[in-house]
Amino acid sequence: MMDVTDPELPDDALREHQDWYRSLFDGVPVGIYRSTPSGEFLDVNDGLVQMLGYPNRKALLAINATELYVEREDRERWKSLLGRQGVVRDFEVPIRRSDGGIIWVRNTSRAVRNRTSQVLYYEGVMEDRTAQRRAEHARQARVRQQAGVAALGLRALEGGDLPPLMDEAVRLVARSLEVEYCKVLELLPQGDSLLLRAGVGWKEGSVGQATVGAGADSQAGYTLLAGKPVIVEDLRTETRFSGPPLLRDHGVISGLSVIINGGDRPFGVMGGHTAARRVFTEDDTHFLQAVANVLAGAIVRRRAEDGRAQLLQRLITAQEEERRRIARELHDEIGQLLTSLLLELQGLESLESLEQAKSRTARLRALVAKTLEELQRQVVALRPSILDDLGLIPALERCVEGYEATSGLRIDFVAQRLQGILLPPHLETTLYRIVQEALTNVIKHSRARAASVLLKHRGQAVIAVVEDEGVGFDAAAVQRARGAAKGLGLVSMKERAALVGGRLTIESEAGKGTTIVAEIPLQTPQGTP
């Protein structure tokens, strides 16, 4: 800095020079200072006064520069560098403002010495680097967040159980967003509450036990209803919802929450919260949603895997049930017929007259004919060749005739507007099996005297309707039932329809009969066999 006290200048010139210097000194947009090695300020400009938040120059001159340093070691290190080098450039350090806030400054300074090299004072320039430091910190944080999301995504692709993945996700969010609390809430089947499935920071015993409402009174419930991320700056003054006990009991003030999708309906909500007032940014929201999306992908894959496993198990169970039925019918029907045939053959050995032989031979012929008829009936039940040879409608006509002949049930069969429609073989098989199973249920359970089968084309679908006026049942109760109580026949029909992209509905009430409607699209989903 220039010494403006030169005694050789005229008084007027000296005052003019001093005024020019002070104007320049106070007008630059940086902080300028002079201070002694002990920390006493000799002079400061207005830029430094404003930077540090003091009301005027006098207030700043009254403090010791050492008090500004957040870490006293930083000042000692700076003085040591000045002592060795004489000049220190771009020394970045955090210092404290008058209101207690912390800013980062870049300090460029030099030591002013006398002729004997004794330090008289330090003088330098301070630039506020807080905004740049925050931007760099944010950039580095985003890089770490992106790396964290990528690592979590790889972990999710490896498969495995969901709870460890959720635990890893909440730890990542808590660490990356620098929040005390993080949670994964699962929407329970009833849809009225959410369970804390995974979390960081919550009181012991909360994870796996604590619930919050899924209505508009909680941040999580409000997030589900809004269908988008929700930011809370201060829960104490929040007007959109009151906040659940889980947040209030932990002193939460600020928070951010996003939806975790789960396919056909949301899995739940992921949130990060802090007990200090915090303004969450758009970048924070994008990061939290990215983590939630990784969880959503893993959840959808797991649900699909579980669904396939359950379907496979049900199909295996249905196969075993069908094998038991076939074995039982072979034993009861074919077995008895063959036993009778054997006895008749053995009786031929003891015959004493031609008339007895003729009578026994007639009975043998009738037994053989009945055995062949029963075998043919069971083969048709397993896979009617007429379905492959002539198509769906002739096969259903034969099926209806067979059920009428064996059960005494009168069945009306009508096929409407199917001319010119060529169904793929797998769709014909699906419709045939659904009608076959539905008629089997009518015969076994309905106690009806008559039933009807309607097959028609509507739009881009084929509709099959099987209706009876029998005793009926509580369809809603059966739909809620689990396992065998649900009925393998009903499960089989629904799953057959679903596998080709169709749907099956059941309408029934006690004493009012039953109507089963299968709607099968002509174009099945990609990948359907």
Side-chain angles (χ1 to χ4, degrees), residues 450-470:
S452 63
V453 176
L454 171 63
L455 194 67
K456 62 181 180 180
H457 172 221
R458 184 175 67 193
Q460 295 298 312
V462 174
I463 313 295
V465 182
V466 179
E467 191 171 10
D468 70 72
E469 297 179 355

Side-chain angles (χ1 to χ4, degrees), residues 226-302:
K228 60 183 181 181
V230 172
I231 295 175
V232 175
E233 291 189 7
D234 194 330
L235 189 61
R236 298 167 296 186
T237 58
E238 179 60 57
T239 58
R240 293 171 295 179
F241 42 82
S242 59
L246 178 67
L247 299 186
R248 295 190 175 276
D249 291 349
H250 288 80
V252 165
I253 293 178
S254 299
L256 166 65
S257 54
V258 299
I259 295 174
I260 305 173
N261 290 311
D264 54 347
R265 76 167 195 160
F267 172 83
V269 172
M270 188 170 200
H273 306 274
T274 177
R277 200 172 191 280
R278 162 87 171 269
V279 177
F280 288 96
T281 67
E282 186 176 354
D283 288 333
D284 295 334
T285 303
H286 291 162
F287 166 69
L288 186 61
Q289 188 65 71
V291 175
N293 290 344
V294 171
L295 289 181
I299 289 164
V300 170
R301 285 193 296 273
R302 173 49 58 89

Side-chain angles (χ1 to χ4, degrees), residues 33 41 48 51-54 60 65-71 74-75 91-107 126-130:
Y33 66 90
F41 277 117
L48 188 61
M51 184 187 304
L52 298 180
Y54 284 85
L60 181 54
T66 306
E67 299 175 20
L68 297 176
Y69 285 79
V70 176
E71 301 291 341
D74 288 338
R75 178 171 173 81
F91 185 82
E92 291 202 4
V93 64
I95 61 175
R96 189 174 285 109
R97 286 168 46 90
S98 63
D99 58 6
I102 295 174
I103 63 172
W104 280 83
V105 298
R106 177 185 289 171
N107 188 3
M126 285 188 181
E127 300 176 73
D128 187 347
R129 298 286 299 171
T130 307

Side-chain angles (χ1 to χ4, degrees), residues 156-170:
L157 290 174
E158 292 173 359
D161 294 334
L162 287 174
L165 183 66
M166 291 181 181
D167 291 339
E168 186 175 337
V170 293

Side-chain angles (χ1 to χ4, degrees), residues 20 27 45 50-51 97 131 218 272 288 330 335 389 397 445 454:
W20 173 83
N45 74 338
Q50 295 171 9
M51 184 187 304
R97 286 168 46 90
S218 71
L288 186 61
L330 286 174
D389 297 336
E397 290 174 343
H445 308 297
L454 171 63

Side-chain angles (χ1 to χ4, degrees), residues 14 61 192 195 210 214 222-223 253 267 275 285 297 331 355-356 359 374 384 393 416 480 493-494 503 512 514:
L14 178 61
L61 290 173
D192 58 354
L195 173 67
Y222 188 87
T223 303
I253 293 178
F267 172 83
T285 303
H331 177 271
E355 291 301 322
Q356 289 179 329
S359 176
E374 180 62 24
I393 293 177
Q416 298 178 349
R480 291 192 299 269
M493 286 188 288
K494 278 184 170 291
R503 63 176 180 172
K512 294 185 179 180
T514 302

Side-chain angles (χ1 to χ4, degrees), residues 439-497:
L439 289 176
T440 299
N441 286 342
V442 172
I443 294 168
K444 286 183 177 179
H445 308 297
S446 74
R447 292 184 291 198
R449 295 181 179 179
S452 63
V453 176
L454 171 63
L455 194 67
K456 62 181 180 180
H457 172 221
R458 184 175 67 193
Q460 295 298 312
V462 174
I463 313 295
V465 182
V466 179
E467 191 171 10
D468 70 72
E469 297 179 355
V471 296
F473 59 92
D474 187 345
V478 171
Q479 294 301 311
R480 291 192 299 269
R482 295 180 179 273
K486 200 176 185 75
L488 288 174
L490 297 179
V491 171
S492 174
M493 286 188 288
K494 278 184 170 291
E495 289 176 349
R496 284 185 183 278

